[in-house]
Amino acid sequence: MSGDSNPVSTPGMFSTVTPQQFGAAMAGFLTYRVPLFVSQLSPVISESAADMVPGSAGMAMRLAQDAKNRGVDMSLLEDKAAKDGLTTVFLVSGPEATGKTTLVNKLLESDSRFVKPALVDRIADAVKFERLQQRGEFLEVDQSGRYGLAKEGVLEAAGQPSDSENGEKKVVVVDADVELAKKMVNVSGARLVGVWIGLDDLDKFESRLKTKISSGMVPIPEDETEDTVLRAKIRQVVKDIEFGVVSGVFEFTILNEDVDDSFKQLKDAASYCFK
């Protein structure tokens, strides 16, 4: 896919996307690499600049500045925030073929403070699985249909005591496709630290998706071809990116060109879970 002669068409914000336009959009999206926490932002960003800070970070700064201008004791607010009872969840999301699962697994292997959510096993606990499924309480069920993720599986895993010397609690890492990320936004009791994993060029998405399809990792329905499946997946990638850009959920963005560099960026983002 190259130049204006072969745009990706899909309804919505990116109705016609060329590689050049895509790259420009992703450059702007890098501004989302701003931490949510006002205590980190306030010392380095002026009041006038706060209006330019995107997403939940900008909203948090503007609310904090308004409260400060009205004479509210910010130290009391910070103390209340620390005791609000919310569970910090490290949400890592992005389109297919960005390599986010590889990065998440490296984080889990390298730092015992981070854990996977607890899943309900249909075989090990059939009664609970069926009950949650009938009530529509699963956030996600894996492709095999055996393992289900529910809200309690996220919050309870995150609340486990840590083995670290300073007694920090464990933080659950949710490796989420965009559909799961949308549901995580509405999980009560969770404070999300969001990281978006992406690529800076649609050609790179296409190349990686072609590799997955040709290797048999992506099944081809009888009434479709590899080309039609690829086109459908590219359209889905564009829709996913649209959500990532406009949702305000993600305080950090990583363009995964080099795994080692991207992993370092992920660790830096993950450190904010403990601040």
Side-chain angles (χ1 to χ4, degrees), residues 2-275:
S2 60
D4 294 332
S5 62
N6 191 17
V8 176
S9 297
T10 186
M13 176 177 162
F14 294 126
S15 57
T16 303
V17 179
T18 66
Q20 291 81 2
Q21 293 166 335
F22 181 86
M26 292 311 298
F29 190 22
L30 284 173
T31 60
Y32 276 81
R33 293 188 60 193
V34 181
L36 172 63
F37 306 97
V38 177
S39 59
Q40 277 74 47
L41 286 169
S42 297
V44 297
I45 299 181
S46 66
E47 291 189 12
S48 60
D51 290 336
M52 296 184 289
V53 176
S56 55
M59 179 63 72
M61 284 200 67
R62 290 189 287 274
L63 289 174
Q65 289 172 358
D66 179 66
K68 183 177 180 180
N69 292 337
R70 290 186 286 107
V72 175
D73 187 341
M74 297 304 294
S75 64
L76 295 178
L77 291 179
E78 291 173 0
D79 183 62
K80 181 178 180 180
K83 300 177 181 178
D84 61 8
L86 296 178
T87 299
T88 300
V89 176
F90 194 46
L91 176 67
V92 182
S93 187
E96 185 177 0
T98 57
K100 63 181 175 60
T101 298
T102 297
L103 294 174
V104 167
N105 287 340
K106 284 174 69 69
L107 179 65
L108 292 168
E109 293 168 2
S110 67
D111 193 331
S112 62
R113 296 176 300 173
F114 295 96
V115 296
K116 294 180 179 180
L119 303 178
V120 180
D121 185 341
R122 183 193 291 269
I123 295 178
D125 196 343
V127 174
K128 182 177 182 179
F129 190 99
E130 295 299 328
R131 182 178 72 251
L132 292 174
Q133 191 171 50
Q134 290 175 3
R135 293 178 179 177
E137 295 183 16
F138 279 131
L139 300 170
E140 181 182 63
V141 175
D142 75 339
Q143 292 184 347
S144 72
R146 176 174 175 177
Y147 297 101
L149 173 65
K151 168 186 172 181
E152 64 184 44
V154 174
L155 301 183
E156 291 178 2
Q160 295 176 6
S162 173
D163 298 329
S164 62
E165 294 180 0
N166 57 14
E168 290 175 326
K169 287 187 176 180
K170 291 184 182 295
V171 171
V172 67
V173 182
V174 178
D175 176 7
D177 60 18
V178 169
E179 288 306 309
L180 177 55
K182 292 176 181 178
K183 295 177 182 178
M184 287 299 303
V185 173
N186 298 314
V187 172
S188 59
R191 179 191 292 109
L192 302 180
V193 176
V195 178
W196 181 263
I197 309 294
L199 300 174
D200 64 354
D201 193 321
L202 278 176
D203 286 339
K204 294 175 182 177
F205 276 108
E206 182 175 8
S207 176
R208 293 188 185 189
L209 288 169
K210 279 183 176 179
T211 299
K212 289 185 66 175
I213 292 172
S214 62
S215 68
M217 295 175 64
V218 177
I220 307 297
E222 292 183 359
D223 58 343
E224 294 196 43
T225 66
E226 289 189 4
D227 185 61
T228 60
V229 170
L230 176 62
R231 289 179 179 274
K233 285 189 172 293
I234 290 292
R235 287 195 296 270
Q236 186 60 52
V237 165
V238 174
K239 291 180 181 179
D240 289 349
I241 293 168
E242 183 173 337
F243 168 78
V245 171
V246 304
S247 67
V249 173
F250 304 100
E251 285 71 53
F252 302 88
T253 297
I254 298 172
L255 300 183
N256 188 19
E257 302 304 312
D258 178 85
V259 172
D260 291 335
D261 182 58
S262 296
F263 179 53
K264 181 179 182 300
Q265 294 180 55
L266 185 66
K267 288 196 297 182
D268 289 344
S271 69
Y272 283 91
C273 294
F274 304 101
K275 295 183 180 181

